[in-house]
Amino acid sequence: MTTAVTRPYVKRGTIPVLATATAITVSNIYFTQPLLDEIARGFHISPSAAGLVATTGQMGYALGIIAIVPLADGVRLRRLSALLLGVTAAALLAGAFAPSLALLSMATLVLSATTVLPQVIMPTVVSMATPGHAGRVLGAVGTGLTLGALLSRTAAGLIAETAGTWRAGFAVAGVATGTLLLVLPRYMPADRPTRTRAPQSYLRLLASLPKLITEHAPLRLSAALGGTVFAAFSAFWSSLAFHLTAGPIALGPAKVGLFGLFSVPGALAARYSGRLTDHWGTRQVNALSLASVLLAFALFGLADQSLIALAVGCNLLGYGTTSGQIANQARIFAAQPAIRARLNTVYMFAVFAGGAAGSAVAGVLFSAFGWTGVVVGGLGFLLLAGLALTWHTVHIHHRADGTAVADGAAMAAGAVR
């Protein structure tokens, strides 16, 4: 990262530190998934009962997005990041020594709610970028987020197998998160995001969220695109294991767990979508994102028994999803710094809701129609995304002379006080 990309007051090495912190913290959301079977055996319970750990993790993350991320618009980010890291590390270590499923689920709920630090870092890193380079820094940090999500499942499985217990995964994650406590806060801003104003109350920050949706069309577009594309992404990944373990492919669990590594090259390539966003604009990168994901689902449908085609499709899916995320967040972060964290709250909640919907729909379709049903369902979500982007493009082109604005400029004119 060159010095021209970040503002003069930003410490050297800040972007790599924030990208690494994002990768480590986001992994806390996903690493429990491959451990559920071991947790069930360890507590002598059914797999469905062990699924409570994953459920509470999702609930906690949704709660953290709504209840914690808006605070980044009004509090000192250095203190907030230290508090979140400390609580998350403590909850992870508590999970490692939890004597019952109930206490483990409670620890997972807490750690998932406080591990929303990546959604605090995203708007922060944009404020550190020089004009015209927001997409580039988002690309760097967004790549860390994607790699953390992809690699955490594989790493957790390997750690548990090496140590002979699922508790090792929680312990390692706790140590890694605790180590960040010694590093990350020093690279976060010491002052409040809005130094010229008195900080808003917590309740006022939360009360402003619905108003953001109604007042900012760019936010509505990003939320629609993020939610539908992530729904297709989640539909694929939530059903892939069932497809790979069934005949005629019939892979074993270990090979299925490693299949996510095939997505890493695509995720790494998506980093350069940040530069494309800076040069082309957000709508063009969203169109590229949709084309990549559409091609992925075409491969999933036309060559569903080919592991090579599935691997290529995974890369296209990872590239398209991450590229779209970068463009969507660049669009909403064009607003004033005072409301960026709350805009990201609304956006990420839409993405989270889309992912949950995609997983639920895929489960029903796979049971009824097999892999073909999942592919058709994913294409349906992409159709909705294409309609949203097309409507927005046509609307922009048909505005009266001299009134058309860039994707994010409208947001800056109506900041929520």
Side-chain angles (χ1 to χ4, degrees):
M1 187 65 62
T2 63
T3 54
V5 175
T6 55
R7 298 182 184 275
Y9 62 81
V10 177
K11 290 183 180 180
R12 183 181 297 273
T14 292
I15 302 303
V17 168
L18 296 185
T20 302
T22 299
I24 292 175
T25 52
V26 79
S27 68
N28 294 332
I29 305 169
Y30 300 102
F31 83 91
T32 58
Q33 294 176 358
L35 304 179
L36 295 179
D37 188 58
E38 292 292 330
I39 290 172
R41 286 202 291 266
F43 286 125
H44 306 290
I45 57 178
S46 67
S48 60
L52 180 62
V53 175
T55 301
T56 54
Q58 293 174 343
M59 292 171 56
Y61 190 60
L63 178 64
I65 289 175
I66 294 296
I68 296 177
V69 174
L71 287 171
D73 278 339
V75 301
R76 299 182 188 277
L77 298 179
R78 186 169 293 180
R79 294 179 181 176
L80 178 62
S81 62
L83 177 62
L84 292 178
L85 287 171
V87 174
T88 303
L92 284 164
L93 294 177
F97 295 98
S100 68
L101 177 66
L103 292 177
L104 176 60
S105 298
M106 187 178 300
T108 303
L109 180 70
V110 173
L111 74 89
S112 298
T114 57
T115 200
V116 292
L117 193 58
Q119 305 314 325
V120 174
I121 290 176
M122 287 294 188
T124 301
V125 77
V126 171
S127 300
M128 295 177 174
T130 53
H133 293 97
R136 187 173 299 187
V137 296
L138 278 174
V141 177
T143 300
L145 187 147
T146 303
L147 289 177
L150 289 174
L151 298 178
S152 60
R153 298 177 179 90
T154 303
L158 292 175
I159 291 171
E161 183 174 346
T162 301
T165 173
W166 58 267
R167 297 180 184 275
F170 280 82
V172 171
V175 171
T177 302
T179 302
L180 282 179
L181 184 59
L182 305 176
V183 180
L184 178 64
R186 301 185 332 190
Y187 289 87
M188 296 292 282
D191 297 320
R192 291 187 176 92
T194 52
R195 287 177 292 177
T196 58
R197 301 175 186 167
Q200 297 188 56
S201 70
Y202 178 62
L203 291 180
R204 289 190 65 183
L205 288 172
L206 293 183
S208 68
L209 295 178
K211 194 175 181 180
L212 292 173
I213 303 173
T214 60
E215 290 190 349
H216 299 297
L219 173 61
R220 294 195 296 272
L221 174 63
S222 285
L225 293 175
T228 50
V229 172
F230 197 67
F233 179 91
S234 298
F236 170 77
W237 281 108
S238 64
S239 306
L240 181 62
F242 299 110
H243 178 57
L244 293 177
T245 54
I249 299 178
L251 294 181
K255 293 181 180 178
V256 172
L258 293 174
F259 204 84
L261 295 177
F262 293 140
S263 299
V264 171
L268 291 174
R271 174 178 180 175
Y272 298 98
S273 294
R275 300 187 182 189
L276 295 180
T277 300
D278 291 333
H279 292 293
W280 289 1
T282 55
R283 281 184 290 126
Q284 288 77 2
V285 174
N286 278 133
L288 176 64
S289 161
L290 288 178
S292 179
V293 178
L294 182 63
L295 183 56
F297 271 85
L299 284 174
F300 298 152
L302 296 176
D304 61 315
Q305 304 302 327
S306 169
L307 293 180
I308 294 177
L310 288 173
V312 172
C314 281
N315 278 279
L316 290 169
L317 180 62
Y319 174 82
T321 304
T322 305
S323 297
Q325 177 99 327
I326 291 169
N328 291 333
Q329 290 186 305
R331 179 184 293 111
I332 65 175
F333 292 154
Q336 294 181 7
I339 61 172
R340 285 174 180 165
R342 280 168 287 167
L343 292 171
N344 200 40
T345 295
V346 176
Y347 170 73
M348 287 306 303
F349 188 81
V351 171
F352 184 88
S359 297
V361 169
V364 173
L365 292 176
F366 189 87
S367 297
F369 306 105
W371 183 248
T372 300
V374 174
V375 172
V376 172
L379 291 173
F381 286 119
L382 296 179
L383 175 62
L384 294 176
L387 290 174
L389 185 60
T390 300
W391 183 90
H392 177 79
T393 302
V394 172
H395 180 67
I396 288 292
H397 288 167
H398 283 78
R399 300 179 84 162
D401 292 345
T403 62
V405 293
D407 280 336
M411 306 180 75
V416 175
R417 296 287 187 258

